[in-house]
Amino acid sequence: MTDDHSVADSVVEVPGRRGRWVGVLVVFLVLLVLGGGAVTYWQIVDRKDEDPGVTACRSAGFVVRAAQGEIVPDDEVRRVGELFQRSAHEDLKSAGVFAVGMVQRVQRAQDPRDAPETTKLRQFELAAAVPRLIAACENHQVTVKG
């Protein structure tokens, strides 16, 4: 037998090294998950202080769809309209309330008793309100998605 333990020592050290790498990897993954959770939390907290008009812009895609002929649920129209109404930003309040009001008028214009000219005029006014709303929302770093 030999007294040289270098071969035996290197075999014994390999599992210890693997264990350290696994430990480092686990710590890294835990930190990554905690960091992602913290970022998500801060984004949610920041939105609580957000202006109602900016919040409404995030849900205003239905205005674009309504201008294209889609029927939108009344409760959604009412909810977003109320948010625009409470906005402290005059540009959002003005553009949003007008656009949502036009959606309501166009949807009511589906009544066969209305004159066809009235229906066309309302649809034209809604189509004109969409770019104004999109521009106002973009001024507050929100993209309206239809």
Side-chain angles (χ1 to χ4, degrees):
M1 294 210 107
T2 62
D3 286 300
D4 186 16
H5 296 288
S6 61
V7 173
D9 288 341
S10 66
V11 173
V12 173
E13 289 179 4
V14 170
R17 287 183 184 161
R18 283 187 187 159
R20 271 187 258 145
W21 282 109
V22 170
V24 168
L25 183 62
V26 168
V27 168
F28 175 75
L29 289 174
V30 167
L31 290 175
L32 186 64
V33 168
L34 289 175
V39 168
T40 303
Y41 171 77
W42 287 115
Q43 286 179 342
I44 290 170
V45 167
D46 285 345
R47 286 205 177 160
K48 286 182 182 178
D49 297 333
E50 187 173 69
D51 182 79
V54 175
T55 302
C57 282
R58 297 186 197 289
S59 301
F62 74 84
V63 175
V64 176
R65 293 189 305 274
Q68 296 168 346
E70 184 177 313
I71 301 298
V72 183
D74 288 336
D75 58 335
E76 178 71 3
V77 175
R78 196 171 21 264
R79 182 185 72 79
V80 174
E82 289 171 359
L83 288 171
F84 277 124
Q85 188 71 27
R86 294 193 330 246
S87 179
H89 302 290
E90 274 307 312
D91 60 335
L92 290 180
K93 187 174 191 174
S94 173
V97 168
F98 181 76
V100 170
M102 288 312 304
V103 168
Q104 291 172 326
R105 289 182 198 104
V106 165
Q107 289 191 163
R108 279 191 226 129
Q110 306 300 330
D111 188 346
R113 296 175 291 180
D114 284 340
E117 298 82 27
T118 304
T119 302
K120 287 181 184 179
L121 177 62
R122 288 179 179 158
Q123 290 170 337
F124 177 78
E125 289 176 336
L126 174 58
V130 170
R132 185 172 161 226
L133 174 65
I134 290 171
C137 290
E138 284 179 353
N139 285 339
H140 297 274
Q141 289 74 45
V142 178
T143 302
V144 176
K145 298 176 184 175

